[in-house]
Amino acid sequence: MSAKILTFRPRPRHRPMPAAIIFREQIEVAAQAALDAADKLIAILNEMDGDPDAEDGGDAEPSLGAPEGHASQAIWLRGGDRDLETTPEARP
């Protein structure tokens, strides 16, 4: 009877990862999943709404962030020389 000797290589020693690194990876995976879900929902809403340029008035909307009655924030930011402060009148 011939003896067969099987040798095994020792397992490489793994250093345990710090909890902070594991936690960060879990957060990154969850954040990516949330972004993917948001992208899908936005795509669904875009399909439901149709072409935004086909609305009444098309591109007649003010630029994003423009205060009402102004074409853009830059014009609104410059302001004017009118003093619009009012003081309350004294009540008898």
Side-chain angles (χ1 to χ4, degrees):
M1 188 172 187
S2 67
K4 289 188 178 182
I5 301 174
L6 300 176
T7 58
F8 295 95
R9 284 186 250 164
R11 292 182 181 174
R13 295 192 177 232
H14 294 288
R15 295 164 121 187
M17 291 179 64
I21 293 174
I22 294 170
F23 188 59
R24 180 178 180 92
E25 287 177 358
Q26 290 173 343
I27 290 174
E28 288 175 356
V29 168
Q32 188 60 50
L35 289 172
D36 291 342
D39 283 342
K40 289 177 185 176
L41 291 173
I42 290 170
I44 290 169
L45 289 172
N46 284 341
E47 287 294 319
M48 290 171 54
D49 286 345
D51 185 12
D53 292 331
E55 297 175 356
D56 295 340
D59 289 332
E61 301 168 348
S63 62
L64 293 175
E68 290 186 27
H70 299 280
S72 72
Q73 283 185 346
I75 295 171
W76 172 78
L77 180 65
R78 290 186 196 130
D81 58 356
R82 299 181 303 158
D83 183 10
L84 300 175
E85 293 180 11
T86 59
T87 55
E89 295 187 25
R91 296 183 185 229

